């Protein structure tokens, strides 16, 4: 089994490549031999500081999809609600004094679907996008209340209702954004930015500015969806885009973990999800040392436990 970990160049650490030239980007992997690739995969560490990997089993993933359909929201909206709800356990400095807060969540979107024929799949193109979700007001420690409710079955009102309110907020805000036509404008903005300027450098410059106010989002969520439903790259001689495949000859991709990169003003708790062979692979990579490794590990555990509870909340 190969566990393939895609790394952004800013995450690659020289100490993992003591006898090799420092890898500057993923491009280095595109034309390497199978032997070199296998070496790269073996030395790619799955115990990076402050990066935590979790897998939600296929039966729980299927139950999450079922619950989402029952409440008439896509699974991505359920994940957005889950990351915000988990945040509610970590932004309260005083456990004896709870407040109502609104959480700003960065939701990644695949805006290529709105670009029409502009994306023919035969070249690198930045057609990503995202939007801000404002979820709440939410009571502090909602995630903890949900976990304790299902462990103790206390007589309080079922807190899961508040969770689905957040998921529906996510869906309503996303639907309004897509109907407004801003999605296609986002595609054009990113394409223009990549064509005439170095967006990465602009982000870095903004992050270093003294005018910034710290982290711009409480959390971030990126849900790729099912791996084998994604469109593949158009190779030379191909007439059309095919679908990605998990099995190639005698080899099968069983897990994929990825993380979105972030600068100093990014998300406090970013989460990346992709479903492979029915199981959801999750990567949680908060910024260190702002978030300690111990706290980020606890966040990852709480996030997954919350999803497991939501999946079986009818029981």
């Amino acid at each position: 089994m190969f566990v393939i970990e895609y790394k952004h160049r800013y995450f690659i650490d020289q100490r993992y490549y003591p006898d090799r030239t420092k890898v500057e980007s993923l491009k280095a992997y595109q034309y390497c031999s199978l032997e070199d690739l296998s070496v790269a995969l073996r030395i790619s560490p799955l115990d990076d500081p402050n990066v935590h990997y979790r897998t939600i089993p296929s039966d729980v993933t299927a139950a999450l999809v079922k619950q989402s359909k029952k409440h008439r929201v896509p699974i991505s909206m359920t994940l957005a609600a889950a990351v915000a709800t988990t945040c509610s356990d970590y932004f309260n400095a005083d456990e004896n004094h709870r407040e109502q807060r609104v959480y700003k969540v960065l939701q990644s979107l695949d805006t290529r679907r709105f670009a029409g024929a502009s994306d023919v799949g035969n070249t690198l193109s930045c057609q990503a996008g995202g939007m801000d979700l404002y979820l709440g007001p939410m009571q502090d420690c909602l995630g903890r209340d949900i976990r304790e409710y299902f462990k103790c079955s206390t007589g309080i009102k079922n807190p899961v209702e508040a969770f689905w309110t957040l998921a529906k907020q996510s869906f309503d805000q996303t639907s309004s954004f897509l109907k407004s036509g801003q999605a296609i404008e986002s595609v054009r903005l990113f394409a223009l930015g990549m064509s005439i300027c170095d967006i990465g450098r602009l982000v870095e410059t903004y992050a270093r500015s003294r005018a910034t106010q710290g982290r711009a989002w409480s959390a971030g969520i990126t849900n790729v969806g099912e791996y084998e439903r994604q469109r593949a790259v158009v190779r030379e001689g191909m007439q059309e885009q095919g679908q990605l495949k998990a099995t190639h000859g005698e080899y099968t991709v069983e897990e994929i973990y990825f993380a979105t990169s972030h600068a100093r003003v990014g998300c406090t708790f970013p989460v990346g999800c992709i479903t492979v062979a029915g199981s959801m692979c999750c990567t949680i990579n908060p910024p260190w040392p702002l978030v300690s490794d111990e706290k980020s590990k606890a966040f990852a555990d709480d996030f997954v436990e919350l999803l497991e509870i939501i999946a079986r909340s009818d029981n």
Side-chain angles (χ1 to χ4, degrees):
M1 178 186 72
F2 289 111
V3 179
I4 302 177
E5 180 185 11
Y6 293 92
K7 280 173 169 278
H8 189 281
R9 61 179 177 175
Y10 296 120
F11 288 163
I12 293 176
D13 194 324
Q14 181 70 48
R15 70 174 184 266
Y16 294 122
Y17 303 86
D19 301 321
R20 293 169 175 265
T21 301
K22 185 175 182 181
V23 180
E24 289 296 338
S25 70
L26 183 61
K27 185 177 180 180
Y29 291 127
Q30 292 179 341
Y31 303 105
C32 62
S33 67
L34 180 60
E35 180 182 358
D36 289 339
L37 179 59
S38 64
V39 171
L41 292 176
R42 285 199 299 270
I43 65 176
S44 181
L46 290 181
D47 57 350
D48 288 356
N50 241 39
V51 181
H52 298 279
Y53 307 90
R54 298 292 184 272
T55 303
I56 300 176
S58 57
D59 60 329
V60 179
T61 302
L64 271 175
V65 173
K66 183 178 180 180
Q67 284 287 356
S68 299
K69 290 181 178 179
K70 175 183 175 181
H71 291 272
R72 300 182 179 182
V73 296
I75 182 65
S76 292
M77 307 300 108
T78 303
L79 294 173
V83 73
T85 300
T86 308
C87 278
S88 71
D89 299 338
Y90 290 84
F91 283 79
N92 179 25
D94 184 1
E95 295 187 3
N96 297 319
H97 178 69
R98 296 191 178 189
E99 298 183 8
Q100 294 274 341
R101 306 176 197 270
V102 175
Y103 291 85
K104 184 180 178 184
V105 178
L106 177 60
Q107 178 184 217
S108 300
L109 295 174
D110 178 10
T111 53
R112 287 173 294 184
R113 69 185 67 181
F114 308 104
S118 65
D119 177 28
V120 295
N122 62 354
T123 184
L124 292 176
S125 176
C126 182
Q127 298 195 33
M131 63 166 293
D132 295 342
L133 297 173
Y134 294 89
L135 304 183
M138 186 195 328
Q139 184 74 25
D140 284 342
C141 304
L142 175 61
R144 188 183 308 170
D145 288 345
I146 292 175
R147 294 192 300 274
E148 291 180 353
Y149 177 85
F150 281 91
K151 288 178 180 178
C152 305
S153 298
T154 58
I156 63 173
K157 181 181 178 180
N158 189 342
V160 172
E161 296 178 13
F163 174 89
W164 288 115
T165 297
L166 298 173
K168 291 174 182 176
Q169 279 184 348
S170 302
F171 182 56
D172 291 342
Q173 292 176 28
T174 303
S175 298
S176 297
F177 173 75
L178 298 181
K179 291 177 181 178
S180 69
Q182 294 182 50
I184 184 60
E185 296 301 327
S186 297
V187 175
R188 293 167 178 162
L189 175 63
F190 272 93
L192 178 65
M194 293 300 291
S195 300
I196 67 174
C197 65
D198 185 346
I199 285 184
R201 179 165 295 183
L202 288 177
V203 172
E204 184 68 16
T205 301
Y206 174 73
R208 292 179 179 275
S209 171
R210 293 185 178 182
T212 61
Q213 301 297 315
R215 309 305 289 181
W217 295 274
S218 305
I221 186 68
T222 303
N223 180 37
V224 175
E226 294 186 42
Y227 175 72
E228 292 193 285
R229 287 192 177 186
Q230 309 305 312
R231 303 299 297 274
V233 174
V234 177
R235 304 292 184 185
E236 185 175 354
M238 295 175 61
Q239 299 298 319
E240 60 182 17
Q241 282 182 281
Q243 302 293 121
L244 289 176
K245 297 180 180 180
T247 300
H248 300 269
E250 60 179 316
Y251 297 102
T252 298
V253 177
E254 296 183 357
E255 295 177 319
I256 297 176
Y257 296 94
F258 78 98
T260 53
S261 59
H262 50 81
R264 295 173 180 82
V265 292
C267 307
T268 305
F269 290 102
V271 178
C273 304
I274 182 171
T275 300
V276 183
S279 298
M280 187 180 296
C281 302
C282 305
T283 307
I284 298 88
N285 61 311
W288 182 90
L290 181 63
V291 180
S292 67
D293 188 60
E294 180 181 4
K295 181 172 289 187
S296 61
K297 180 181 182 298
F299 183 95
D301 292 338
D302 290 344
F303 174 75
V304 170
E305 184 180 5
L306 175 63
L307 289 176
E308 292 172 342
I309 290 173
I310 294 300
R312 298 189 170 97
S313 57
D314 284 349
N315 300 326

